[in-house]
Amino acid sequence: ELPYRPVLTQTPPLEGLTTASTFVLDQPRCIFRGYDNADIWLVVALDKAASTFNNTAGPGTPETAFQDFPDPVHAYMTLNATLANYPCPKPAGDITVLRVGSETSCAQDAARPTCNGPLPGPGPYRVKFLALEGSEPVAETAWSAPIMLRTAKSPSSISTTDSGHSAGMIAITTILSILFAILLAGLVAMLVFWGSDSCGGSSTFSKPESVTVRRYNTHHVYDQPAARL
Amino acid sequence: MAKSDDCIHILQGLLVFGNVVIGMCGIALTAECIYFVSNPYGPYPLLKDTGNNDFYAAAWIGIFVGLALFALSILGIIGVIKASRTLLLVYIILMLITFAFEMASCITAATHRDSLTPNVFLKQMLERYQKSEPANNSDNEVTKTWDELMLQKHCCGVLGPSDWQEYTSAFRLTHNDADYPWPRKCCVLDAQGLPVNLDACKLGVPGYYNSNGCYDAISGPVNTHAWGVAWFGFAILCWTFCVLLGTMFYWSGIEY
């Protein structure tokens, strides 16, 4: 058994790393050295069935057919490849991933038992790589950590009613209410004191047109400053 | 006598100035609200569907309030110069009514802006986008609006492409998760409208899909509209408050 453990892809960060029915693994580059003639298969198993998987179960048989997963088949084999598909070393900058669950066309096709079809539930699942020469298992990796897929909630669980009031709206409402109340009070005060004379305390002033200053022309020039007062 | 005459003239001058400013602000408010009402922006169909387009009601009130402010400011100027008690009383009462209407408009605009949370759009998008049997024309409108929005603003979903993963949707009923983790419009498209790299888009490789949500693109214009109506109205009302207080003080000092 090889000391490698399959992992979900960490670089680059992928938005679709796990979806409701697929997940993305790193390709096993530079892992299976020397097994040039072997077929490298990916085994996908339910978490509880991983320990009971028999390496001698052949790919493409009814015991490992994808179409019967998860019941009665608890582990299927897919993504057949050879060492030529996983050249070592990995070129820098290339994205080398395996998307488990991407083949939708053969998901119902019993004639394709090694189909890489979409996973039927959220899991958890465990995967490992198995190298077969002929039908002899010659190398395998360790089982991966349990992989959980996403579960989708119903949109009716989104609450649209409790939206708080922003500070701005509260400020506008309170300040405007206070101002309006003051104005109403002022209007009431004005009307109540309509009859009474000087409410404001300052002197009343007469309307412009009722004040006319008459100049008294006297014959004596030196009297005029007195008349102006 | 001369001193209080000067005080009176200063008060008259201030009130006339205040009314001139109110008149100009009234015209500005009318122009702004006419602009908002006649210029519905792209995502408006989404707002119409949520039933939350009451800030259009606020804008309509703003148009008439602006015109009323302009007319009343002229009345106020005449009343102050002629120092007529009746004119000024009419002015004050009508101004108070206009004040109340503008207050309602500001509060409506602010409240309805607050109610447009991301969840409102999220729920609408999940339930209506690409609905296979559109119940009425507005479902088609929602789909069309979202497609245009995601295309033009290079965004996906309300908060991000994960909206389509976290919730089931009408879209999910007709498009399986493995082939369409999110709609094709979320992919970076070439000149023909096809994804540049479909596999990279399905994986979610940065650079081949739109990773940010469209909520900012929707709420930006809504914010401008709502705060334009609400805060400008608030500023006008504060100024009007001062002018009205001054007018009341002036009124109480007029000899009758």
Side-chain angles (χ1 to χ4, degrees):
Chain A
E1 181 176 311
L2 300 169
Y4 173 74
R5 189 184 280 264
V7 288
L8 295 174
T9 305
Q10 302 300 317
T11 48
L14 298 175
E15 181 89 30
L17 186 66
T18 56
T19 69
S21 58
T22 66
F23 58 92
V24 183
L25 293 173
D26 267 336
Q27 288 181 0
R29 297 277 176 122
C30 309
I31 303 296
F32 291 95
R33 288 183 200 270
Y35 296 99
D36 300 343
N37 296 328
D39 288 328
I40 303 174
W41 291 88
L42 179 71
V43 181
V44 180
L46 295 173
D47 187 20
K48 55 184 186 341
S51 45
T52 59
F53 178 71
N54 193 344
N55 277 349
T56 57
T61 61
E63 289 82 34
T64 58
F66 166 77
Q67 285 75 17
D68 294 324
F69 182 80
D71 191 57
V73 171
H74 295 311
Y76 68 97
M77 299 173 76
T78 181
L79 278 176
N80 181 16
T82 62
L83 205 56
N85 296 115
Y86 303 140
C88 185
K90 174 175 105 77
D94 273 11
I95 299 176
T96 55
V97 296
L98 295 173
R99 189 162 182 246
V100 179
S102 60
E103 278 191 271
T104 49
S105 51
C106 57
Q108 310 294 327
D109 187 359
R112 293 272 322 273
T114 56
C115 180
N116 181 20
L119 294 157
Y125 302 101
R126 296 176 81 148
V127 298
K128 73 172 181 184
F129 291 98
L130 184 60
L132 299 176
E133 272 179 12
S135 52
E136 277 290 313
V138 294
E140 62 173 354
T141 65
W143 283 105
S144 69
I147 298 171
M148 280 293 298
L149 300 182
R150 300 212 214 183
T151 329
K153 301 191 281 275
S154 161
S156 48
S157 65
I158 304 173
S159 79
T160 55
T161 46
D162 44 80
S163 50
H165 294 296
S166 66
M169 178 257 170
I170 294 181
I172 288 183
T173 312
T174 34
I175 294 179
L176 287 184
S177 310
I178 293 174
L179 295 185
F180 192 60
I182 295 176
L183 286 179
L184 278 182
L187 178 69
V188 167
M190 264 170 55
L191 296 178
V192 161
F193 293 113
W194 177 299
S196 70
D197 210 344
S198 58
C199 164
S202 58
S203 59
T204 61
F205 56 97
S206 355
K207 301 184 184 184
E209 58 261 36
S210 66
V211 174
T212 51
V213 176
R214 288 179 191 271
R215 288 269 184 90
Y216 291 96
N217 287 320
T218 62
H219 293 293
H220 306 284
V221 174
Y222 55 84
D223 270 341
Q224 283 194 326
R228 270 202 214 106
L229 283 169
Chain B
M1 188 59 188
K3 187 166 181 292
S4 68
D5 260 350
D6 282 344
C7 282
I8 298 307
H9 286 316
I10 292 176
L11 183 59
Q12 274 183 322
L14 284 177
L15 287 179
V16 168
F17 171 70
N19 276 302
V20 165
V21 171
I22 290 180
M24 295 194 309
C25 287
I27 296 291
L29 184 65
T30 305
E32 185 195 24
C33 291
I34 288 182
Y35 173 71
F36 286 154
V37 165
S38 68
N39 218 6
Y41 62 111
Y44 175 58
L46 301 178
L47 283 156
K48 206 163 50 136
D49 280 329
T50 63
N52 259 341
N53 58 344
D54 277 356
F55 71 82
Y56 270 89
W60 275 108
I61 296 179
I63 293 179
F64 295 112
V65 163
L67 291 175
L69 283 178
F70 178 69
L72 284 179
S73 71
I74 296 181
L75 176 68
I77 292 175
I78 297 175
V80 162
I81 292 181
K82 292 175 85 168
S84 149
R85 272 203 158 195
T86 359
L87 272 184
L88 285 181
L89 187 61
V90 168
Y91 166 79
I92 290 176
I93 293 180
L94 288 181
M95 267 297 215
L96 278 180
I97 296 176
T98 313
F99 191 98
F101 271 103
E102 178 61 14
M103 202 168 92
S105 160
C106 289
I107 295 177
T108 310
T111 312
H112 282 93
R113 156 69 197 93
D114 283 347
S115 72
L116 291 178
T117 54
N119 279 352
V120 168
F121 294 108
L122 183 62
K123 192 160 184 177
Q124 181 199 55
M125 178 185 81
L126 291 171
E127 288 176 353
R128 312 269 288 272
Y129 179 71
Q130 297 235 9
K131 202 161 163 190
S132 49
E133 292 113 47
N136 47 22
N137 202 27
S138 66
D139 286 345
N140 283 333
E141 284 258 348
V142 170
T143 303
K144 218 161 46 117
T145 308
W146 269 107
D147 282 337
E148 274 173 26
L149 187 63
M150 295 201 282
L151 204 58
Q152 283 165 8
K153 305 285 182 185
H154 305 296
C155 56
C156 185
V158 173
L159 303 168
S162 292
D163 290 344
W164 304 104
Q165 288 294 314
E166 276 180 50
Y167 298 96
T168 60
S169 52
F171 174 76
R172 183 60 62 225
L173 290 177
T174 46
H175 298 78
N176 66 70
D177 172 79
D179 282 332
Y180 295 90
W182 34 77
R184 290 283 185 264
K185 289 283 188 297
C186 294
C187 301
V188 173
L189 303 176
D190 60 16
Q192 277 79 37
L194 298 170
V196 169
N197 187 334
L198 186 58
D199 286 326
C201 178
K202 287 200 268 190
L203 280 174
V205 180
Y208 291 90
Y209 75 108
N210 301 323
S211 55
N212 44 314
C214 298
Y215 180 65
D216 287 336
I218 299 175
S219 71
V222 172
N223 274 341
T224 325
H225 283 46
W227 292 132
V229 173
W231 284 111
F232 187 50
F234 178 75
I236 293 178
L237 287 183
C238 287
W239 180 267
T240 309
F241 170 77
C242 299
V243 171
L244 278 181
L245 270 189
T247 312
M248 287 183 186
F249 179 69
Y250 179 78
W251 184 91
S252 64
I254 300 179
E255 213 179 63
Y256 63 95

